[in-house]
């Protein structure tokens, strides 16, 4: 029985064509800046997304960390969503490794940080306070594409109050797909953007940080300090390049499958649909039935993310086809809630 893994879009396997591209990639020592495939990936994404420079790194966590350390110094702070990845899910790296204080702000239901709350959190220039330096947003957030106009309002605030503006765009291309706009428009106005190639785009490894030449030089230095200076990384960059060539257009299929899944699950008595955004579906079951449901779906070869709030998250991706969606719907239908 084939396993249907809906835990995350990070679980994808490199396709045969992607593996071929990796095998053929010309490579060099990237610490010397001599890997042609890494350089081509960085140049391409910088040009595509409208930035002066880019840096290929192993993970989105490292990319965000390098951005925070590139924007902020010891004793500075960044303003961030209380449920944002860069605050909650990165091991406190900015504080641990960068001596940068987070100032979390509870997100509104649509994923935005209310800008009046952001502005109120900016500290006066006074030795009592950390220096407010950066506003960090996330798009998509829990699958939600932020309201498009919000980004311009955040840019206006950042400019007026002299904050840098960073975007954790781990799923930037999902947001672009949801808006029906080029990814460049989603990245517009930010001083730095982090993009993951290893989520729905299906590369095995890799994120890219984009920004000004100066910011990326600082990030490159911090990447080395963090042990992230890699050598013939072109094989991984080739996978990322292949993902950009072949897997961006198909994100719409993931979104359509998520919608179909959400519609079917929402019609089942005992299940409460909490939301469906881009490639993510969230459902709740009565807490007392959660364990049994997990056992039931596992026995049918379905893997889910269980135990966060809402209680079940299902994520569509490159390795989930229509039959996988059908089997998942069937598994949920055959459970007694
Ligand atoms: C996955 C993800 C990251 C980075 O994760 P890594 O596993 O370190 O690559 C950052 N932000 C968001 C929103 C993510 O979903």
């Amino acid at each position: 029985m084939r396993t249907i893994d809906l835990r995350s879009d990070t679980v994808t396997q490199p396709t045969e064509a992607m593996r071929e591209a990796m095998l053929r990639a010309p490579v060099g020592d990237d610490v010397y800046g001599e890997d042609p495939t890494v350089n081509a990936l960085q140049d391409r994404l910088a040009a595509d997304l409208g930035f002066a420079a880019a840096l290929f790194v192993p993970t989105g966590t490292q990319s965000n960390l390098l951005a925070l350390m590139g924007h902020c110094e010891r004793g500075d702070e960044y303003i961030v969503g209380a449920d944002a990845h860069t605050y909650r899910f990165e091991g406190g790296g900015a504080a641990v490794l960068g001596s940068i204080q987070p100032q979390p702000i509870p997100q509104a239901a649509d994923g935005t940080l209310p800008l009046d709350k952001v502005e109120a959190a900016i500290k006066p220039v006074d030795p009592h306070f950390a220096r407010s330096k950066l506003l960090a947003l996330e798009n998509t957030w829990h699958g939600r594409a932020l309201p498009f106009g919000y980004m311009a309002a955040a840019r206006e605030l950042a400019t007026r109050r002299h904050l840098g503006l960073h975007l954790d765009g781990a799923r930037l291309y999902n947001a672009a797909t949801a808006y029906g706009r080029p990814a460049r428009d989603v990245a517009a106005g930010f001083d730095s953007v982090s993009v993951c190639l290893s989520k729905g785009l299906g590369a095995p490894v890799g994120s890219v940080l984009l920004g000004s030449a100066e910011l990326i030089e600082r990030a490159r230095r911090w990447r080395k300090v963090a042990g992230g200076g890699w050598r013939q990384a072109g094989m991984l960059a080739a996978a990322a390049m292949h993902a950009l060539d072949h897997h961006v257009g198909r994100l719409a299929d993931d979104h359509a499958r998520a919608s179909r899944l959400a519609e079917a699950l929402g019609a089942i008595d005992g299940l409460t649909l909490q939301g469906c955004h881009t490639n993510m579906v969230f459902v709740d079951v009565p807490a007392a039935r959660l364990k049994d449901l997990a056992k039931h779906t596992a026995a049918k070869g379905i893997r889910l993310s269980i135990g966060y709030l809402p209680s079940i998250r299902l994520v569509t991706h490159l390795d989930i086809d229509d039959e996988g969606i059908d089997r998942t719907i069937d598994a949920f239908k055959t459970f007694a809630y």
Side-chain angles (χ1 to χ4, degrees):
M1 181 172 57
R2 193 165 58 100
T3 298
I4 309 294
D5 195 342
L6 292 155
R7 286 173 301 166
S8 174
D9 47 11
T10 56
V11 301
T12 55
Q13 295 283 321
T15 62
E16 280 307 314
M18 183 180 278
R19 289 170 196 259
E20 281 293 319
M22 295 172 76
L23 275 177
R24 284 196 314 269
V27 296
D29 190 327
D30 182 51
V31 172
Y32 291 114
E34 290 174 2
D35 189 300
T37 310
V38 169
N39 291 340
L41 172 68
Q42 291 173 167
D43 291 348
R44 173 190 179 160
L45 267 180
D48 280 2
L49 298 179
F51 287 87
L55 186 68
F56 184 44
V57 300
T59 66
T61 297
Q62 189 179 92
S63 181
N64 282 326
L65 175 68
L66 302 184
L68 295 173
M69 292 179 74
H71 283 285
C72 302
E73 293 179 7
R74 181 179 191 204
D76 292 347
E77 80 172 5
Y78 68 113
I79 300 171
V80 62
D83 279 315
H85 205 279
T86 41
Y87 174 58
R88 270 193 89 170
F89 298 98
E90 295 180 5
V96 174
L97 302 167
S99 301
I100 304 162
Q101 162 172 289
Q103 169 60 67
I105 305 276
Q107 271 122 316
D110 64 0
T112 57
L113 305 193
L115 293 178
D116 56 333
K117 301 246 165 49
V118 170
E119 187 150 21
I122 297 171
K123 313 285 183 290
V125 178
D126 174 314
H128 287 91
F129 302 112
R131 291 168 301 225
S132 307
K133 273 288 168 62
L134 182 71
L135 172 59
L137 302 179
E138 182 174 321
N139 195 12
T140 62
W141 174 74
H142 292 192
R144 287 166 180 79
L146 300 188
F148 199 82
Y150 174 77
M151 266 92 70
R155 176 70 263 175
E156 186 280 319
L157 170 65
T159 303
R160 186 162 47 78
R161 299 302 305 268
H162 309 292
L163 299 176
L165 188 62
H166 172 69
L167 179 66
D168 177 358
R171 296 185 180 83
L172 184 83
Y173 288 91
N174 293 87
T177 302
Y179 300 129
R181 303 184 70 133
R184 186 191 182 90
D185 292 1
V186 189
F190 288 92
D191 298 308
S192 55
V193 174
S194 168
V195 180
C196 289
L197 287 316
S198 62
K199 300 273 167 87
L201 294 181
V205 172
S207 291
V208 172
L209 178 65
L210 300 124
S212 66
E214 298 74 26
L215 183 88
I216 294 301
E217 263 330 291
R218 290 197 292 278
R220 186 185 302 282
R221 177 182 159 72
W222 286 126
R223 184 185 68 169
K224 187 74 178 126
V225 172
W230 46 7
R231 304 294 178 175
Q232 285 72 25
M235 296 186 82
L236 298 170
M241 203 72 116
H242 181 88
L244 290 169
D245 285 338
H246 300 284
H247 296 167
V248 172
R250 60 155 308 288
L251 290 176
D253 302 345
D254 295 345
H255 297 188
R257 290 193 177 106
S259 292
R260 181 160 81 82
L261 180 60
E263 203 171 307
L265 297 187
I268 296 173
D269 271 350
L271 270 184
T272 311
L273 179 66
Q274 291 291 348
C276 172
H277 313 283
T278 60
N279 66 332
M280 296 189 187
V281 180
F282 299 91
V283 288
D284 262 331
V285 289
R289 299 297 291 139
L290 194 55
K291 263 203 182 135
D292 281 346
L293 176 63
K295 262 192 230 153
H296 172 80
T297 49
K300 296 199 171 283
I302 316 268
R303 306 193 72 178
L304 311 165
S305 194
I306 290 187
Y308 292 95
L309 282 176
S311 44
I312 300 175
R313 185 184 81 166
L314 307 98
V315 186
T316 56
H317 52 75
L318 191 59
D319 294 346
I320 301 293
D321 58 11
D322 288 327
E323 194 231 325
I325 298 293
D326 291 337
R327 264 181 58 194
T328 305
I329 293 168
D330 189 60
F332 276 92
K333 272 188 181 161
T334 53
F335 181 73
Y337 292 90

